[in-house]
Amino acid sequence: MNKIAYMDYNATAPILPAATQAIVGALKCVGNPSSVHGMGRKARSLMEDARDNVAALVNVRSDWVFFTSGGTEADTLAIKGSGCERILVSAVEHAAILNASKNVEIIDVDENGLVLLEDLETRLKDDPRSTLVSVMAANNETGVIQPVAEIVEIAHRFAAIVHCDAVQAIGKIEFDMQALGCDLISLSAHKMGGPQGIGALVKRPSIKLQALISGGGQERSLRGGTENLIGIVGFGAASKEKTDFNRIKSLRDMLETQIKGLSDEIVIFGEDVARLPNTSCFALEGLMSERQVMALDLAGIMISAGSACSSGKVKASHVLEAMGVGEEYANNAIRVSLGWDSCEEDIEMFVQAYAKLVARVQEKNSKKSDAA
Ligand code: PLP
């Protein structure tokens, strides 16, 4: 079989071997964590071990962690459950945040997609309404990292609570919830080598939330329904694994150096600011995203255009639009995202296939200029 280069970790990461092993073990566990008998207690103990691992990953107490079905549910629970009169979110948030409430108010970003702190402050000033500010730790499309501690400082000065969608940051960069001062954070296992369909909302005890699903009072009445034990155990195991992101960053940098060598006109978004070590989002005028995704797919290379996890549909990215990127680039952007199983061969395969696409654009452009 021909080699596949999977380079779409920000959409979903392959499951880490340690998580697979833990899941297989949990499949043999029959008990419901709510049952009081021995097998129920065994299931609960597996669940609580996993909670400890997730808590340690973001440096909080285990009782701050509430398991959900994933990042989307955690985001929705934070926003809807807060009951705040005002919800301020950055323009580059994931759809899970932007669509969590009809009444979100947008905080502007600069040309790199960084939250404009003055805009946040202006919006918070002189408004007595209860407010939740939600800003992501790192962007899923560009990898750009937000100044979370500064955002928290401003929001707290005006008595707003702060939620941070840390789905893309976790496992890729240090994220210490207590040091950053966030009140709520969202996590998702499948972006860090755990299984799909499991995540967590991490909450300071002082923050009161209304449950979206009451059910039988599981997760200390914040999230009803029998817990997804298999997912939780896989999430816990993935939380303990340490991927060498210096190695991943070298691969990402190698890729960027090589593609820049193909054309001076390639634009890499967020290149000059702090970014996740695994993500590269770039465009070349004249090379449509959709065409690239399909051509690379045929060559065995899996990448995405825009935000793949919204629905698999290819459309201009709202993130790039908010950054003021013109249509000629926003419609052409692709995202390459790497992770624990990425290797140099993936980069070589990508650069070889991408070079052919770039050459076709250059050929077309030179024919055009000859004809003019
Ligand atoms: N938040 C961000 C930043 C994401 O990238 C994603 C998924 O791509 C989500 C939330 C949603 O997470 P989940 O797929 O676990 O619902």
Side-chain angles (χ1 to χ4, degrees):
M1 202 177 104
N2 290 336
K3 169 152 167 63
I4 296 284
Y6 184 79
M7 306 172 95
D8 203 11
Y9 278 68
N10 288 10
T12 200
I15 299 204
L16 286 156
T20 306
Q21 206 185 339
I23 289 168
V24 171
L27 282 167
K28 296 180 193 139
C29 176
V30 178
N32 182 323
S34 297
S35 299
V36 291
H37 52 63
M39 286 166 90
R41 291 201 305 277
K42 170 76 187 143
R44 175 157 297 274
S45 129
L46 287 177
M47 185 167 85
E48 295 314 321
D49 287 349
R51 198 186 307 277
D52 293 345
N53 293 338
V54 173
L57 183 67
V58 292
N59 188 32
V60 299
R61 272 188 359 225
S62 300
D63 63 345
W64 292 26
V65 176
F66 296 83
F67 290 115
T68 63
S69 66
T72 303
E73 187 187 324
D75 284 345
T76 310
L77 178 56
I79 289 191
K80 282 210 161 86
S82 74
C84 283
E85 293 161 286
R86 276 179 100 196
I87 308 288
L88 300 186
V89 309
S90 91
V92 295
E93 293 304 305
H94 189 270
I97 292 288
L98 293 172
N99 297 330
S101 158
K102 284 199 194 86
N103 299 322
V104 294
E105 200 178 310
I106 301 292
I107 315 162
D108 293 331
V109 295
D110 69 10
E111 68 280 8
N112 288 309
L114 290 167
V115 164
L116 287 173
L117 300 176
E118 317 82 73
D119 187 43
L120 171 64
E121 189 157 346
T122 309
R123 286 173 193 279
L124 288 169
K125 241 181 215 155
D126 304 324
D127 195 318
R129 288 176 291 173
S130 56
T131 304
L132 177 136
V133 173
S134 181
V135 175
M136 67 204 328
N139 189 267
N140 44 304
E141 296 182 30
T142 60
V144 167
I145 297 170
Q146 296 290 349
V148 176
E150 286 167 79
I151 290 165
V152 170
E153 188 277 314
I154 295 170
H156 282 175
R157 213 171 343 117
F158 295 96
I161 60 174
V162 182
H163 166 254
C164 179
D165 176 336
V167 164
Q168 291 291 348
I170 295 305
K172 297 173 187 154
I173 52 171
E174 276 300 306
F175 189 96
D176 181 328
M177 179 177 175
Q178 300 209 61
L180 291 167
C182 307
D183 300 301
L184 296 156
I185 66 169
S186 298
L187 311 176
S188 175
H190 73 103
K191 309 290 184 179
M192 44 172 279
Q196 296 177 352
I198 184 73
L201 183 70
V202 185
K203 179 181 93 58
R204 278 181 194 275
S206 57
I207 304 293
K208 302 290 172 239
L209 293 181
Q210 186 72 43
L212 301 180
I213 306 169
S214 309
Q218 288 90 344
E219 292 298 275
R220 287 151 290 146
S221 295
L222 195 57
R223 207 288 186 172
T226 300
E227 299 86 346
N228 170 5
L229 183 66
I230 290 156
I232 290 171
V233 167
F235 187 9
S239 301
K240 278 204 305 193
E241 294 298 294
K242 298 266 173 283
T243 298
D244 177 3
F245 272 92
N246 287 326
R247 183 185 75 83
I248 313 278
K249 183 176 182 299
S250 310
L251 292 175
R252 193 274 311 268
D253 293 349
M254 184 193 296
L255 179 137
E256 291 189 344
T257 308
Q258 294 192 14
I259 59 162
K260 281 197 282 191
L262 299 172
S263 162
D264 299 336
E265 276 150 41
I266 288 170
V267 176
I268 300 178
F269 303 106
E271 192 183 7
D272 299 328
V273 294
R275 272 184 303 160
L276 293 176
N278 76 320
T279 308
S280 185
C281 180
F282 49 90
L284 175 67
E285 196 174 346
L287 193 51
M288 294 287 288
S289 311
E290 203 166 345
R291 214 178 108 207
Q292 298 180 68
V293 173
M294 288 191 298
L296 293 167
D297 186 26
L298 287 174
I301 299 158
M302 316 288 138
I303 53 122
S304 70
S307 185
C309 48
S310 57
S311 62
K313 267 188 267 156
V314 181
K315 54 179 184 199
S317 143
H318 73 280
V319 173
L320 298 180
E321 275 172 5
M323 289 162 61
V325 174
E327 259 187 25
E328 69 285 12
Y329 287 106
N331 288 332
N332 297 352
I334 57 170
R335 175 189 71 190
V336 174
S337 52
L338 310 175
W340 66 270
D341 203 27
S342 299
C343 60
E344 243 180 89
E345 203 183 338
D346 298 332
I347 310 297
E348 283 159 17
M349 270 176 74
F350 178 88
V351 174
Q352 223 177 54
Y354 188 69
K356 288 188 194 148
L357 295 172
V358 173
R360 266 188 243 150
V361 174
Q362 287 167 337
E363 207 179 303
K364 216 161 98 190
N365 288 348
S366 76
K367 275 191 194 144
K368 259 196 227 156
S369 62
D370 287 349

